[in-house]
Amino acid sequence: MKGTASMCGRLPRRAELDELKKSLVEFRPIPGPVVDFLRLVPKGSPMDVLRTAVSMLSLYDPIARDSSREANFEKARKLMAQTATIVTTFDRLRNGREVIEGDPKLGLAANFLYTLTGKKPDEVMERAFDVALTLHADHEFNASTFAARVTAATLSDIYSAVTSAIGALRGPLHGGANEDVIRMLLAAEDVDTALQTIRERLSLKVKIPGFGHRVYRTEDPRATHLRALSEEVGKRTGHENLYRTSKAIEETVKELKGLNANVDFYSASTYYSLGIPIDLFTPIFAVSRMSGWTAHVLEQYRNNRLIRPRADYIGKPVDQAWVPIEQR
Ligand SMILES: CC(C)(COP(=O)(O)OP(=O)(O)OC[C@H]1O[C@@H](n2cnc3c(N)ncnc32)[C@H](O)[C@@H]1OP(=O)(O)O)[C@@H](O)C(=O)NCCC(=O)NCCS
């Protein structure tokens, strides 16, 4: 694919969009050695597995070292398609299930749910997951995107850049928060005990996952849509209680601390209601954010300058004498 819209700064024309979608299907299969790796690794830590498997992809990509614009765009599309395959393949294998090849007629969201669960989602479930993925796709200079940019700005390759990003995403202050949210919701017996725990945590100055944001002082606009999805999917799958508890927690945190829900708060109950295993919530964030990371990396290459902040040293006095180790 030569100059396409994402590289040109305009919306794609019909033929360009069709070609992009086609390539996102064609690039889905992952190299055999990566499947073998997924078969052998410990079952319990999908984000570690994803970070390593994404990094491994570069070893089997014949254009890994080609840093032309076209090659980088192709690698971006491979990464978008294959990150999803890595997550679902790993989950199937760790549960002793057969890997499902996928259906070329399904888009990324529906195919993800199909290759994860073995069931094709109905329209509502597909749309809910598609909206959730879209809402997570990009978000300015969040920590993981910045990490990707820093790596790309050294003119390192795109695989290294997104591997840095995955490492940054997994932390509980960033993408890891969605898993903490669902664990908090599931630990509560009912709404009253949930609120009691919230009050205790706040009085001890312990942070509540899914609340607060470095940039937003109003509601995170993504949370508005995810709240509605959580309610809709929860009703359909019998997990309305999670939505109700979430709503009560949201009101209490707002009242006591003035903090708003962020993207991770309602995505947690939405993913759980869609039947997604808890430890895949953050990997799913990566599946979606891969589009944002790679777009940022391509942009960085287009107009690159090394990102190298200066340190403002505020440590111990700088006039200390050096003392030989035996005399310290
Ligand atoms: C996202 C986050 C890291 C932003 O942090 P930040 O911009 O550095 O904000 P601060 O940590 O300086 O917080 C400012 C105040 O709000 C409080 N606060 C922030 N987030 C809070 C939370 N989730 N629960 C309780 N209090 C919180 C801080 O304790 C601090 O209170 P204080 O002034 O009384 O000391 C932070 O809100 C957080 O840790 N949230 C929970 C994890 C999460 O959901 N991450 C996903 C983000 S999309």
Side-chain angles (χ1 to χ4, degrees), residues 172-174 177 205 207-208 210-212 214 257 259 262 264:
L173 298 188
H174 190 8
K205 289 199 169 287
K207 284 190 175 166
I208 314 294
F211 287 89
R214 175 56 61 82
K257 195 76 194 175
L259 288 167
N262 60 43
D264 292 300

Side-chain angles (χ1 to χ4, degrees), residues 43-107:
K43 300 178 194 323
S45 189
M47 268 311 264
D48 295 331
V49 172
L50 181 65
R51 187 194 57 227
T52 309
V54 165
S55 173
M56 252 183 110
L57 289 175
S58 76
L59 301 173
Y60 304 99
D61 186 348
I63 59 164
R65 298 274 149 244
D66 182 344
S67 55
S68 66
R69 213 168 121 97
E70 286 71 25
N72 279 328
F73 187 49
E74 180 174 322
K75 285 180 270 184
R77 284 173 287 141
K78 283 179 180 161
L79 278 161
M80 277 178 68
Q82 294 177 354
T83 305
T85 310
I86 289 170
V87 175
T88 56
T89 302
F90 169 67
D91 193 66
R92 300 288 300 179
L93 290 172
R94 73 170 167 170
N95 288 303
R97 299 200 185 111
E98 252 178 64
V99 176
I100 297 173
E101 215 177 275
D103 182 342
K105 289 196 212 75
L106 299 178

Side-chain angles (χ1 to χ4, degrees), residues 184-185 187-206 208 245 248-253 256:
M184 172 179 79
L185 293 174
E189 274 167 40
D190 51 34
V191 173
D192 287 342
T193 51
L195 296 186
Q196 198 183 323
T197 311
I198 294 295
R199 286 190 202 99
E200 280 163 16
R201 279 188 177 209
L202 287 178
S203 69
L204 295 168
K205 289 199 169 287
V206 176
I208 314 294
T245 309
I249 291 177
E250 186 185 19
E251 281 159 17
T252 302
V253 175
L256 297 179

Side-chain angles (χ1 to χ4, degrees), residues 118-135:
K119 278 187 248 130
K120 292 193 179 158
D122 65 26
E123 230 174 90
V124 175
M125 304 296 252
E126 173 184 355
R127 192 176 165 279
F129 192 52
D130 196 25
V131 170
L133 291 182
T134 305
L135 290 171

